[in-house]
Amino acid sequence: MSLGNDGAKVFIWNMSKLGLSFLSIAVISRIVPRSILGTYFLYISVVSVVGTLSLIGVGEGLEKRLSEGKNKAEIFSTGVLIVLLISTLLALLSYIFKSQIESYLNVSIAYVTLGLFLYILLVGLRKALNGNLAVPNTIFSQFLQKLLFFVFIAFFYYSGRVNINAILISYLASICIALVYVSIKLPIGISTPTKDAAEKIFTFSIFAGISQVSEQAYDRTDILLIGFFLVSSSVSMYEIAWQVSLIPMIIAQSLGAVIRPQLSEWWVEGKQQLVEDVVYRYFTLTLVLLIPIVVGGCLLAGELLSNLFTAEYGAASVVLIILLLEKIPQTVGGIARAILYGLNLPRGLMWVSFCLLVTNIVLNIILIPTAGIEGAAIATLVSAMAMSVSALWFASKHIDLRVDWRSLTWSVISSVAMALVLVLIDSQFSIDGIPQLLGLVATGGTLYFIVLLADSHIRTQAVETAELLDVSF
């Protein structure tokens, strides 16, 4: 398996997916009030959090057992049956809380029921694709979903009928077609579900479920609580800033999505040195590419929000700066959690996730009523720091975690040089459009890599990393 090639494919699809997501939200933000966009974001948060909670880590258990390469048809059939049962049961149970759900979301229960069923089924099948080491297909399905969502939104826009119903119909229709694609791409045969296979899945899922729930809580608890304590327009302001802050995570998530199941296979085969070498390169490469994006994003926070969306969203620039800073500890902790997953250490994942979950919920409850959406961003940052420290501690007990401090130091120096030039340009010229913004970003990125690659150690490490990640195993 070529980690470099697959990582590049995933990166391309992730960038395309993010671009389509921005485009769709940018279009919606210009034609509907912030309150309607906030309702949509709140709906997505409820579906994803409740759906993930109900899966109790079955998707992770299915991915893990499939990646081990044993009895794939039996594991797959059993896992899919469990996912189908959970999705059907949850969709039916949602009607019990019909009045409460409709009051909180201001949308029909039918959208929630169908959304939960489709979301859970799609997550389960995508995890099966990951477990079969077909991560690029999984990412493409996500890209396809975003593309179709944009197409449907464009259709409603030109029909002059963009409202909350049109947005939710577009979301559900895009999931349905993505489900068809994922089903076609699954190369695993069908077998009779067995109790033994279910036990293997649940053995891992019990602990991984807490990890997965904590990730969703980390991503969505702030939105759910903002919707509870504040107004829907505040939800849209925060979510827009959150979406922009995800840009630096594309590289880490792309390579991490490929590496995580591969680490599991190597660890089972006893290739500890290979695992440590790949983690070392992955850690360094990710941070060297992440640091300048965070620095540049913080400097241009207001311009990014007001130009990519509308001027009123520029008021969330402080939130964006905090969320961009949060991406550094989140990335470090995410790498450590990928190690725990690959080394089959679900208990470690569970405790790290528990730390993240408790810290995030408690801080959000305290800070949102007192500091608004800025308080939610601070809670996210502190939670990421706590998660990062605990995850690194657990991972370091099992493998040697090495850090290329020279490369990271030179990355910081290069980022500072880039920042000084960006500040100078920004003070002399007005950034009042997307072309000017893109030009400034391109200038900063070019300068960063010129300074970065001036160091011989960086050039050597880049060549060695490319050779390691592109080797087929």
Side-chain angles (χ1 to χ4, degrees):
M1 178 181 180
S2 175
L3 294 181
N5 292 337
D6 279 356
K9 292 177 184 177
V10 173
F11 173 75
I12 292 171
W13 291 129
N14 269 333
M15 285 298 296
S16 302
K17 179 182 69 174
L18 184 64
L20 283 170
S21 180
F22 275 164
L23 192 57
S24 300
I25 295 173
V27 170
I28 297 172
S29 69
R30 283 171 166 78
I31 56 181
V32 301
R34 283 183 297 168
S35 57
I36 291 181
L37 189 56
T39 298
Y40 167 67
F41 288 143
L42 197 57
Y43 167 82
I44 295 296
S45 298
V46 168
V47 168
S48 59
V49 170
V50 175
T52 302
L53 180 63
S54 64
L55 272 174
I56 55 173
V58 168
E60 280 64 35
L62 179 59
E63 177 183 342
K64 173 64 178 176
R65 297 314 178 197
L66 286 174
S67 69
E68 293 174 350
K70 300 176 182 178
N71 303 320
K72 283 192 172 184
E74 182 181 308
I75 294 292
F76 172 70
S77 301
T78 304
V80 170
L81 177 61
I82 295 171
V83 169
L84 278 171
L85 291 174
I86 292 174
S87 59
T88 303
L89 179 62
L90 186 63
L92 294 174
L93 285 176
S94 65
Y95 271 91
I96 297 177
F97 303 97
K98 177 177 181 294
S99 60
Q100 293 90 334
I101 292 173
E102 290 185 338
S103 174
Y104 178 59
L105 294 178
N106 290 319
V107 299
S108 170
I109 191 64
Y111 289 123
V112 180
T113 300
L114 185 57
L116 285 171
F117 178 83
L118 294 175
Y119 175 85
I120 293 172
L121 187 57
L122 183 58
V123 167
L125 293 182
R126 280 174 172 165
K127 291 296 183 181
L129 266 182
N130 287 348
N132 204 51
L133 304 183
V135 176
N137 287 335
T138 300
I139 303 301
F140 178 76
S141 75
Q142 296 171 347
F143 163 78
L144 179 63
Q145 182 183 341
K146 297 293 185 182
L147 174 61
L148 292 169
F149 179 71
F150 173 74
V151 170
F152 292 135
I153 288 294
F155 168 77
F156 284 114
Y157 171 72
Y158 285 111
S159 301
R161 293 178 291 178
V162 177
N163 52 34
I164 188 61
N165 291 321
I167 296 172
L168 296 182
I169 289 172
S170 300
Y171 170 74
L172 295 174
S174 65
I175 287 187
C176 288
I177 300 176
L179 263 172
V180 173
Y181 172 82
V182 171
S183 301
I184 293 173
K185 286 297 181 178
L186 277 168
I188 307 171
I190 301 297
S191 180
T192 303
T194 65
K195 180 181 178 181
D196 181 61
E199 289 177 349
K200 289 180 179 178
I201 292 173
F202 280 118
T203 298
F204 189 86
S205 71
I206 291 174
F207 299 103
I210 297 178
S211 174
Q212 186 65 15
V213 167
S214 74
E215 288 181 11
Q216 279 294 337
Y218 179 71
D219 287 343
R220 293 295 174 180
T221 294
D222 40 15
I223 291 294
L224 296 176
L225 291 175
I226 289 171
F228 180 78
F229 288 114
L230 306 177
V231 294
S232 56
S233 59
S234 297
V235 172
S236 64
M237 294 284 284
Y238 185 87
E239 179 67 15
I240 289 292
W242 172 262
Q243 292 284 338
V244 175
S245 76
L246 293 178
I247 295 175
M249 298 297 296
I250 295 298
I251 298 170
Q253 291 175 345
S254 300
L255 195 53
V258 177
I259 285 178
R260 193 173 74 161
Q262 190 64 67
L263 289 181
S264 177
E265 182 177 301
W266 288 336
W267 190 257
V268 170
E269 295 172 355
K271 299 178 180 178
Q272 180 174 344
Q273 187 59 51
L274 178 59
V275 169
E276 292 179 352
D277 289 344
V278 169
V279 167
Y280 169 72
R281 303 290 181 181
Y282 171 36
F283 190 94
T284 304
L285 173 64
T286 300
L287 288 181
V288 165
L289 296 176
L290 175 70
I291 291 172
I293 300 176
V294 171
V295 172
C298 289
L299 289 174
L300 302 175
E303 287 87 348
L304 285 169
L305 291 172
S306 59
N307 284 285
L308 291 177
F309 302 96
T310 59
E312 61 184 352
Y313 288 102
S317 59
V318 174
V319 173
L320 177 56
I321 291 172
I322 298 171
L323 291 177
L324 283 169
L325 294 174
E326 171 266 343
K327 292 301 175 283
I328 295 178
Q330 184 187 354
T331 297
V332 173
I335 295 172
R337 293 173 75 177
I339 297 170
L340 295 176
Y341 174 93
L343 273 54
N344 195 24
L345 298 169
R347 289 182 181 272
L349 272 174
M350 180 190 70
W351 287 112
V352 170
S353 302
F354 181 76
C355 172
L356 175 64
L357 183 63
V358 172
T359 305
N360 194 39
I361 292 176
V362 171
L363 289 178
N364 269 295
I365 291 175
I366 295 172
L367 294 175
I368 289 177
T370 57
I373 58 176
E374 289 81 7
I378 293 171
T380 302
L381 172 60
V382 176
S383 300
M385 295 170 65
M387 179 270 290
S388 177
V389 171
S390 59
L392 285 173
W393 182 78
F394 273 105
S396 66
K397 294 173 64 177
H398 299 277
I399 66 171
D400 180 22
L401 294 177
R402 292 170 287 147
V403 178
D404 185 355
W405 290 111
R406 176 170 173 175
S407 293
L408 296 184
T409 301
W410 193 251
S411 174
V412 172
I413 293 173
S414 303
S415 297
V416 171
M418 175 197 71
L420 292 175
V421 173
L422 289 180
V423 170
L424 179 61
I425 295 176
D426 193 32
S427 65
Q428 298 298 318
F429 302 96
S430 175
I431 309 300
D432 53 4
I434 293 180
Q436 295 95 324
L437 180 62
L438 293 178
L440 188 59
V441 170
T443 300
T446 301
L447 177 62
Y448 171 77
F449 280 107
I450 290 175
V451 178
L452 183 73
L453 295 176
D455 183 69
S456 60
H457 176 76
I458 290 286
R459 296 195 299 271
T460 301
Q461 291 297 306
V463 172
E464 292 178 356
T465 299
E467 291 176 349
L468 176 63
L469 296 184
D470 282 338
V471 172
S472 296
F473 298 96

